[in-house]
């Protein structure tokens, strides 16, 4: 009965989202659970309910204990949910055990992010990068028919034999595909490097727009260049770096501006590595424009994450200005202490005179030194 009702339901598939904060050792609340509904909805699911639990410590078998599982099960049954999304990363075995107990699909935050990236990738390079990230994530999580796990599989050269199981054959196929994709990415990286050199041999200043997803980077790119990029109130509307020309009336010079993929809380390491192309654009820019959604209560912490990530990928010393965006929705401007800052509305094109002045000041203070790279 239950099944029949679900299959005739034509609306979006429903999801119950689960966040967990452990007391031993204490989990740091990084605000990532607050982002989960938007993420889940961006992946095409409808959030039908949420559970936030504070158990003492992680359960090795199912991450959370019986009591929480039965709470989840109750929500799943009463809402007709088909997917449960955990904010925490699940081990393959934990996910399989949870699926057995809940009798619905169980995924974690990372898989949701990967799915969104997969749906949004447009260029050949973007598609390859997403596929690689998905395979890297799924490899240790393959599920055999007997619920058998792959994590302990030795693999490597010479392990093929008559006794090889279906699971091992699958794993081997995935490893081969990973190697092939890595090869393609290396080739594309060379091509991209050549293109970048051509761009950099020109005199125009290269600006990269950097910031959290949904902060307004694409809207700002469009406003600065008249380009029709794809701005949307979903996460990761843009996946591939996009470069366009703008004109600064203060310097009376052309500049190039690149839109980049948005930052996000707990971006899985596999993804960071897989999005090399975007990171290169960030690293090789002459100037950074850090875009902040000033209407977001959490903007300060997010700006800190952006600074930290730039440090981590080796782009921390590139001169920047901070653009506090969406001021059309604010009654008061936020209190800030950033030396090179400007308040704008990308949507209403407000504050652009000041923005062009700031860009000119920065370009004047830090002339381009490309011979250093
Ligand atoms: P991105 O993810 O950083 O590229 O963000 P987008 O440019 O796609 O913008 C995300 C959402 O914020 C869209 O719905 C935009 O229309 C909206 N937005 C962007 N800039 C502004 C602004 O200055 N004011 C207002 N009110 N909304 C904005
Ligand atoms: Mg965008």
């Amino acid at each position: 009965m239950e099944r029949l009702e679900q299959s005739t339901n034509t609306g979006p598939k429903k999801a119950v989202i689960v966040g967990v904060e452990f007391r031993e050792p204490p989990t740091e609340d990084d605000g990532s659970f607050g982002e989960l509904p938007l993420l889940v909805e961006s992946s095409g699911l409808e959030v039908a309910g949420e559970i936030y639990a504070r158990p003492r410590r992680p359960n090795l078998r199912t991450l959370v204990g019986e009591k929480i599982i039965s709470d989840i099960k109750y929500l799943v049954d009463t809402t007709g949910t088909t997917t449960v999304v955990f904010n925490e990363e699940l081990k393959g075995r934990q996910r399989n055990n949870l699926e057995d107990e809940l009798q619905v699909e169980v995924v974690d935050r990372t898989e949701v992010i990967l799915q969104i990236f997969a749906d949004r990738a447009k260029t050949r390079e973007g598609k390859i990068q997403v596929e690689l990230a998905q395979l890297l994530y799924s490899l240790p999580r393959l599920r055999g028919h007997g619920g058998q796990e792959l994590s302990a599989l030795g693999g490597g050269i010479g392990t093929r034999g008559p006794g090889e199981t279906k699971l091992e054959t699958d794993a081997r196929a995935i490893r081969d595909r990973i190697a092939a994709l890595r090869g393609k990415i290396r080739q594309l990286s060379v091509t991209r490097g050549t293109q970048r050199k051509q761009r950099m041999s020109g005199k125009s200043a290269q600006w990269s727009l950097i910031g959290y997803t949904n902060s307004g980077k694409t809207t700002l790119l469009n406003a600065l260049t008249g380009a029709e990029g794809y701005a949307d109130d979903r996460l990761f509307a843009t996946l591939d770096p996009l470069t366009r020309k703008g004109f600064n009336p203060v310097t009376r010079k052309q500049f190039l501006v690149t839109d980049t993929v948005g930052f996000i809380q707990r971006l899985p390491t596999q993804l960071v590595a897989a999005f090399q192309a975007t990171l290169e654009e960030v690293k090789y820019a002459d100037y950074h424009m850090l875009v902040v959604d000033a209407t977001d209560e959490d903007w300060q912490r997010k700006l800190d994450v952006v600074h930290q990530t730039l440090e981590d990928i080796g782009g921390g010393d590139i001169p920047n200005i901070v653009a506090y965006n969406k001021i059309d929705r604010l009654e008061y401007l936020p209190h800030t202490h950033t030396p090179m800052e400007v308040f704008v509305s990308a949507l209403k094109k407000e504050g652009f005179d000041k923005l062009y002045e700031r860009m000119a000041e920065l370009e004047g203070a830090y002339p381009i030194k490309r011979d250093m790279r």
Side-chain angles (χ1 to χ4, degrees), residues 31-82:
S32 64
F33 189 60
E35 263 179 12
L36 194 57
L38 188 54
L39 269 179
V40 167
E41 272 157 25
S42 297
S43 80
L45 296 167
E46 181 189 311
V47 176
E50 57 181 75
I51 287 188
Y52 195 78
R54 299 190 70 236
R56 187 179 291 278
R57 59 173 78 88
N59 179 311
L60 292 180
R61 217 181 65 80
T62 48
L63 187 73
V64 293
E66 263 170 50
K67 165 80 176 64
I68 297 168
I69 291 179
S70 74
D71 288 350
I72 299 171
K73 183 124 186 69
Y74 177 79
L75 253 188
V76 164
D77 290 345
T78 50
T79 56
T81 286
T82 51

Side-chain angles (χ1 to χ4, degrees), residues 1-234:
M1 268 310 278
E2 196 65 13
R3 253 170 216 286
L4 204 68
E5 270 171 33
Q6 275 173 20
S7 62
T8 53
N9 180 357
T10 49
K13 275 171 62 179
K14 289 180 184 165
V16 163
I17 61 175
V18 183
V20 192
E21 194 183 322
F22 295 108
R23 286 174 287 160
E24 287 173 19
T27 326
E28 188 197 342
D29 181 12
D30 57 9
S32 64
F33 189 60
E35 263 179 12
L36 194 57
L38 188 54
L39 269 179
V40 167
E41 272 157 25
S42 297
S43 80
L45 296 167
E46 181 189 311
V47 176
E50 57 181 75
I51 287 188
Y52 195 78
R54 299 190 70 236
R56 187 179 291 278
R57 59 173 78 88
N59 179 311
L60 292 180
R61 217 181 65 80
T62 48
L63 187 73
V64 293
E66 263 170 50
K67 165 80 176 64
I68 297 168
I69 291 179
S70 74
D71 288 350
I72 299 171
K73 183 124 186 69
Y74 177 79
L75 253 188
V76 164
D77 290 345
T78 50
T79 56
T81 286
T82 51
T83 307
V84 173
V85 182
F86 276 77
N87 197 36
E88 272 62 31
E89 202 166 288
L90 294 169
K91 299 211 163 52
R93 181 171 352 113
Q94 291 175 330
R95 190 195 56 188
N96 296 343
N97 291 334
L98 283 165
E99 284 190 341
D100 289 345
E101 302 215 6
L102 294 167
Q103 289 294 302
V104 289
E105 176 190 39
V106 174
V107 296
D108 63 19
R109 177 187 183 86
T110 304
E111 288 172 289
V112 171
I113 296 174
L114 287 168
Q115 186 55 51
I116 300 170
F117 274 71
D119 293 343
R120 305 287 153 83
K122 289 198 189 74
T123 63
R124 179 156 163 260
E125 186 169 13
K127 286 179 180 149
I128 292 172
Q129 291 179 344
V130 181
E131 190 186 345
L132 176 62
Q134 282 185 313
L135 292 178
L136 288 172
Y137 199 71
S138 69
L139 187 57
R141 290 173 173 74
L142 282 186
R143 186 173 196 180
H145 290 300
Q148 185 192 4
E149 282 281 329
L150 190 75
S151 43
L153 196 83
I157 301 161
T159 54
R160 190 198 300 268
E164 189 172 57
T165 65
K166 166 89 167 45
L167 187 62
E168 285 162 337
T169 321
D170 289 353
R172 184 180 303 278
I174 290 182
R175 286 203 191 90
D176 289 348
R177 181 78 187 143
I178 286 175
L181 291 173
R182 285 200 163 124
K184 282 189 197 161
I185 286 177
R186 266 195 299 277
Q187 279 170 14
L188 287 166
S189 173
V190 173
T191 314
R192 179 175 283 281
T194 314
Q195 285 168 353
R196 189 171 48 238
K197 268 195 203 113
Q198 269 167 15
R199 249 193 289 143
M200 311 235 299
S201 66
K203 291 195 197 74
S204 303
Q206 307 255 334
W207 286 81
S208 268
L209 297 172
I210 297 168
Y212 258 75
T213 210
N214 230 37
S215 58
K217 296 179 298 300
T218 303
T219 310
L220 192 56
L221 175 100
N222 291 346
L224 284 170
T225 66
E228 285 305 307
Y230 177 44
D232 193 342
D233 205 5
R234 291 179 305 176

Side-chain angles (χ1 to χ4, degrees), residues 290-305:
L290 310 185
V291 185
V292 172
D293 179 350
T295 66
D296 184 340
E297 287 169 10
D298 217 15
W299 67 262
Q300 180 66 67
R301 195 187 49 79
K302 289 184 174 173
L303 184 57
D304 291 343
V305 174

